[in-house]
Amino acid sequence: MTGFIVSVCFAYIAVCIACNLLLALAGRLNGSRKPLPETRSYSRIAIMVPAYREDSIILSSVKSYGALNYPHDRYEVVVIADSLQPATLEQLKHTGVTVIEVSFDKSTKARSLNAAFGRLSGNYDLALICDADNMLEPDFLLKINRAWQAGEQAIQAQRVAKNMDTPFAVLDAVNEMIANFLYRRGANALGLSSSVIGSGMAFSYGMIKDVMQEIQATGGFDKVLQLLVIEKGHKIYYLEDALVFDEKVESPEAFGNQRRRWVSSQFVYLRAYWTKGWKALLRGHIDYFNLGVIQNLLLPRTWLLAAVTLCTAASAIAGQYRFIPLYGWIVLFAANILSLLLPVPVAFYKRYSLTVLRILPKALGIMLMLPFRLKGANNKFIHTHHSKTTIDNPLLDVPGK
């Protein structure tokens, strides 16, 4: 029995690492694309910004949207104001943006977006969904527009760190770099849809309005969204050169709460889409199987790192190789490290390697305690507080990053 359990654990860890390594290699070897064609046609874009108790940053975000290099009569900023202070609402109304006030017994991003779609009457081509803390690079809408004019109906932009001012913000930033490279760039390179992130994502307006009406999720609404989009026959395109800046968590508490929400939704949707995903695979719908089953089945990368490190160390110390030879664990350990190193730019290594190494044991401890804190995490909205009103990412100033 012990040998069977060890063999199953080894096989599961090996599959997780193999999937990540395949995506990393695909992203590194086949990640470049032909530039999108220029266009003189400007789509009409609604920038949808759900804002739940985001009084400290929503005004700065709205101000940044007013400076975008795009015809101002071709885009509209829509702030979906949930539980904002009266003073904030008054200031927002003076900025010229559209403010839609909402109130729910149980607030969720999906409910806010559906309420806004129900009240908007404009003739839009695209809906761009952003978080309240997000800021966009000046040419963001121009790049999104080119992708849409080229035929892309579902687009995920590259989300990058807005701040890297604490060790946990640095760790959060590199985690997103790796996720972007593997599950968006790497997935597209293999002909699969990019996963979406919940913000910095643009869709044909009519399509996303219809899709959102089918979503009632509290946590992980993006996991439901992406599957509904590909069910309708659309690929999700990763637009790597369109940057959306996102505030990274700064404290151990915020890191733990955020990961608790993510891990809980992963388990919930693995169970929800397990059967349907396998049926989709039998019909040849690999995209659905990948996002519905594989991506939810993969161990979180921090857990994977801890698992393969501990198993390799235990095998070496015990000297018992009856079930899995030591070299098997060493190969997995090396493959896992490679899958984590390939996505990260050299500039990050030079500047932040020691910071990550110092904070990693504490982060591992937080992640390893999460299984005991998952109960109910997907049934309530876990809000992450934001406060950063400017972009402070030193990596973006490094040539050849």
Side-chain angles (χ1 to χ4, degrees):
M1 179 61 72
T2 301
F4 175 76
I5 294 173
V6 171
S7 297
V8 169
C9 290
F10 180 85
Y12 176 50
I13 292 172
V15 168
C16 291
I17 292 173
C19 287
N20 285 340
L21 184 58
L22 174 62
L23 291 167
L25 291 171
R28 180 61 64 191
L29 299 175
N30 193 31
S32 60
R33 298 183 180 184
K34 294 180 180 179
L36 292 167
E38 294 290 339
T39 178
R40 294 186 179 183
S41 179
Y42 298 100
S43 56
R44 176 92 167 116
I45 303 174
I47 304 178
M48 316 281 287
V49 188
Y52 175 75
R53 295 184 178 178
E54 296 285 16
D55 300 86
S56 60
I57 46 87
I58 188 61
L59 290 166
S60 65
S61 298
V62 164
K63 183 179 178 181
S64 74
Y65 296 146
L68 297 173
N69 295 332
Y70 200 76
H72 283 207
D73 62 342
R74 302 299 293 169
Y75 75 96
E76 181 178 359
V77 180
V78 181
V79 175
I80 310 161
D82 185 354
S83 305
L84 295 185
Q85 296 297 318
T88 304
L89 292 171
E90 189 64 28
Q91 292 179 73
L92 280 172
K93 291 172 183 177
H94 283 95
T95 64
V97 305
T98 298
V99 179
I100 297 177
E101 296 183 50
V102 296
S103 179
F104 308 103
D105 293 335
K106 191 175 183 180
S107 295
T108 69
K109 185 184 289 188
R111 286 182 176 181
S112 289
L113 288 168
N114 278 319
F117 281 125
R119 296 189 207 177
L120 287 174
S121 57
N123 184 24
Y124 308 103
D125 300 304
L126 279 168
L128 169 64
I129 299 173
C130 292
D131 285 341
D133 61 300
N134 290 160
M135 299 173 74
L136 307 175
E137 64 162 314
D139 289 342
F140 187 92
L141 294 185
L142 291 173
K143 295 173 180 178
I144 289 288
N145 179 60
R146 283 201 297 270
W148 188 77
Q149 297 287 351
E152 302 297 341
Q153 303 293 301
I155 305 161
Q156 175 62 63
Q158 182 180 185
R159 202 168 67 179
V160 297
K162 189 178 183 181
N163 60 299
M164 298 181 71
D165 50 349
T166 72
F168 271 97
V170 171
L171 188 62
D172 198 11
V174 72
N175 176 71
E176 185 133 78
M177 289 179 197
I178 295 170
N180 282 336
F181 200 94
L182 299 181
Y183 312 125
R184 287 172 265 287
R185 177 173 174 163
N188 269 192
L190 291 175
L192 299 170
S193 282
S194 159
S195 61
V196 299
I197 325 173
S199 67
M201 50 188 188
F203 305 92
S204 290
Y205 188 85
M207 181 262 285
I208 191 61
K209 182 178 179 179
D210 291 342
V211 165
M212 285 303 307
Q213 291 177 3
E214 301 181 46
I215 300 177
Q216 302 297 325
T218 299
F221 101 100
D222 49 328
K223 291 184 177 293
V224 182
L225 170 61
Q226 62 192 7
L227 290 173
L228 288 172
V229 167
I230 64 175
E231 265 190 322
K232 297 183 181 298
H234 302 292
K235 285 279 188 183
I236 302 172
Y237 179 80
Y238 179 46
L239 188 56
E240 190 171 29
D241 67 341
L243 303 183
V244 53
F245 300 93
D246 178 75
E247 184 173 333
K248 300 293 114 185
V249 296
E250 296 187 296
S251 67
E253 294 75 21
F255 179 87
N257 284 333
Q258 186 185 68
R259 268 55 184 183
R260 178 187 173 213
R261 184 176 73 242
W262 292 355
V263 172
S264 174
S265 68
Q266 181 174 334
F267 290 155
V268 165
Y269 292 114
L270 173 62
R271 183 170 63 250
Y273 293 112
W274 177 261
T275 301
K276 194 172 181 180
W278 282 101
K279 289 180 178 178
L281 179 63
L282 293 176
R283 296 193 304 270
H285 202 334
I286 299 175
D287 231 6
Y288 193 99
F289 179 72
N290 176 54
L291 292 177
V293 176
I294 293 179
Q295 294 303 313
N296 288 318
L297 189 60
L298 294 178
L299 274 178
R301 290 182 302 280
T302 315
W303 285 2
L304 195 56
L305 177 62
V308 72
T309 301
L310 290 174
C311 288
T312 304
S315 181
I317 293 171
Q320 298 292 326
Y321 313 137
R322 184 172 44 168
F323 305 121
I324 303 295
L326 175 60
Y327 69 79
W329 289 112
I330 292 175
V331 168
L332 286 192
F333 179 82
N336 188 55
I337 295 298
L338 184 60
S339 74
L340 298 175
L341 294 181
L342 283 175
V344 182
V346 174
F348 182 90
Y349 294 130
K350 291 179 178 178
R351 191 171 189 124
Y352 293 111
S353 291
L354 291 178
T355 300
V356 171
L357 290 175
R358 283 198 300 266
I359 199 67
L360 192 57
K362 187 168 187 178
L364 284 170
I366 292 171
M367 289 295 295
L368 292 174
M369 292 302 295
L370 283 187
F372 306 102
R373 301 180 57 225
L374 293 181
K375 186 177 180 180
N378 206 61
N379 297 322
K380 60 182 178 180
F381 179 60
I382 303 176
H383 178 60
T384 301
H385 176 71
H386 300 108
S387 61
K388 303 299 180 183
T389 58
T390 58
I391 297 170
D392 182 18
N393 184 337
L395 290 180
L396 300 179
D397 299 325
V398 179
K401 58 182 179 297

